[in-house]
Amino acid sequence: MSPTQFFKCLSDDTRLRCVTLLQKEGKLCVCELTTALALSQPKISRHLASLRQCGLLQDSREGQWVYYQISAKLPDWAIPLLNNALAAVEQSDLFKSDLERLQQMINRPDTQMCC
Amino acid sequence: MSPTQFFKCLSDDTRLRCVTLLQKEGKLCVCELTTALALSQPKISRHLASLRQCGLLQDSREGQWVYYQISAKLPDWAIPLLNNALAAVEQSDLFKSDLERLQQMINRPDTQMCC
DNA sequence: CTTTTATATATGCTTATACGTATATTAAGT
DNA sequence: ACTTAATATACGTATAAGCATATATAAAAG
């Protein structure tokens, strides 16, 4: 992955929010991301697929769920960029809402459904 | 300027090369950038204009020449990202060639013309 | 084996990007 | 004034991005 491609990955709100959420939380399934960002499942899925194809994310299936995380094979130069991207995004209200919806979802004991 | 806009600025080869050259060299005029990147003047000029409109660059006219540099009013979160970007790009052969052409141009005493 | 949940992809469409070429503008020199 | 160098913009076009909606696949549950 080239630096230009890397920046293109982060140049869309949906993708940037997914990547920074994963950078902060480590590992999330598609429906968690869908709920956190409050966007349609196909939209999230499409962006995750493109991030995976670029090599920024990797996925792993666990039963019905597909979990995404930051790829373990990222080039060295990408790591500090991701950390600083997270620092830049964390301040925003949009990202705070994402985190809040994610927490609400995790702290909900009333159902075995994911979403 | 939002983080997303910032990353969009760096998501194109021409713009990324301009920005990292300016990050390294401090201040360059359009024809120096045109020569360094070995691209057409309108192409460089158009990208510089878009970077200026985003607030990533600022320009200053000195006689015939218009100099561009990284904006002094960048948000705090952008500075480390620009340094990371430079570190990521500096390794590439493309960027090394840009620097080389720039040096050749500066060390050329045979003409008063810029380009 | 049908249903449900989770995820992925296809289709049709609209908008945004990037480009080359031509031309306009601005400043300086003659 | 006229010319030249430096820079900016306009125009037409080709391609890519992004979206909503519908549909397909995959795994688990009943």
Side-chain angles (χ1 to χ4, degrees):
Chain A
M1 185 177 39
S2 71
T4 305
Q5 275 182 306
F6 176 86
F7 291 123
K8 188 167 289 184
C9 287
L10 306 184
S11 73
D12 173 271
D13 268 326
T14 305
R15 289 194 297 270
L16 182 58
R17 287 160 74 193
C18 285
V19 169
T20 45
L21 261 187
L22 291 169
Q23 174 79 355
K24 190 178 183 69
E25 299 294 318
K27 198 176 178 186
L28 296 168
C29 72
V30 178
C31 66
E32 286 171 327
L33 287 165
T34 301
T35 301
L37 303 207
L39 292 172
S40 78
Q41 178 269 320
K43 180 167 173 170
I44 298 289
S45 214
R46 212 170 350 97
H47 283 295
L48 290 175
S50 84
L51 291 168
R52 175 170 35 81
Q53 281 155 18
C54 282
L56 219 171
L57 299 183
Q58 65 183 55
D59 64 346
S60 52
R61 183 176 275 277
E62 297 183 16
Q64 311 176 257
W65 295 281
V66 176
Y67 284 90
Y68 281 86
Q69 58 186 310
I70 306 290
S71 168
K73 300 175 197 161
L74 277 187
D76 290 341
W77 54 259
I79 316 290
L81 276 168
L82 279 181
N83 289 326
N84 286 320
L86 176 56
V89 169
E90 267 182 332
Q91 312 166 2
S92 76
D93 291 344
L94 196 55
F95 188 72
K96 287 177 190 164
S97 315
D98 292 347
L99 269 180
E100 220 168 279
R101 279 186 295 262
L102 185 63
Q103 294 307 329
Q104 280 176 11
M105 185 189 187
I106 289 169
N107 300 335
R108 191 185 56 187
D110 57 326
T111 161
Q112 41 315 38
M113 280 191 303
C114 175
C115 303
Chain B
M1 185 175 43
S2 72
T4 305
Q5 277 182 303
F6 175 86
F7 290 123
K8 188 166 291 185
C9 287
L10 306 184
S11 73
D12 172 271
D13 268 326
T14 304
R15 290 194 297 270
L16 182 59
R17 288 160 75 193
C18 285
V19 168
T20 45
L21 260 187
L22 291 168
Q23 174 79 354
K24 190 178 183 69
E25 299 293 318
K27 198 176 180 187
L28 296 168
C29 72
V30 178
C31 66
E32 286 171 328
L33 286 164
T34 302
T35 302
L37 303 206
L39 293 172
S40 78
Q41 177 270 318
K43 180 166 173 173
I44 297 289
S45 213
R46 219 169 340 101
H47 282 297
L48 290 174
S50 84
L51 291 169
R52 173 170 34 82
Q53 281 155 18
C54 282
L56 188 43
L57 299 183
Q58 64 183 53
D59 63 347
S60 53
R61 183 177 274 277
E62 297 183 15
Q64 311 175 258
W65 293 281
V66 176
Y67 285 89
Y68 281 86
Q69 58 187 309
I70 306 291
S71 168
K73 300 175 196 161
L74 277 187
D76 290 341
W77 53 259
I79 315 289
L81 279 169
L82 279 182
N83 289 326
N84 294 153
L86 177 55
V89 169
E90 266 183 331
Q91 312 166 4
S92 77
D93 291 343
L94 196 54
F95 188 71
K96 286 177 191 165
S97 315
D98 292 348
L99 269 179
E100 222 169 277
R101 278 186 296 263
L102 186 62
Q103 294 307 329
Q104 280 177 10
M105 186 190 186
I106 290 170
N107 300 336
R108 192 184 54 187
D110 56 328
T111 162
Q112 42 313 41
M113 281 192 301
C114 176
C115 302

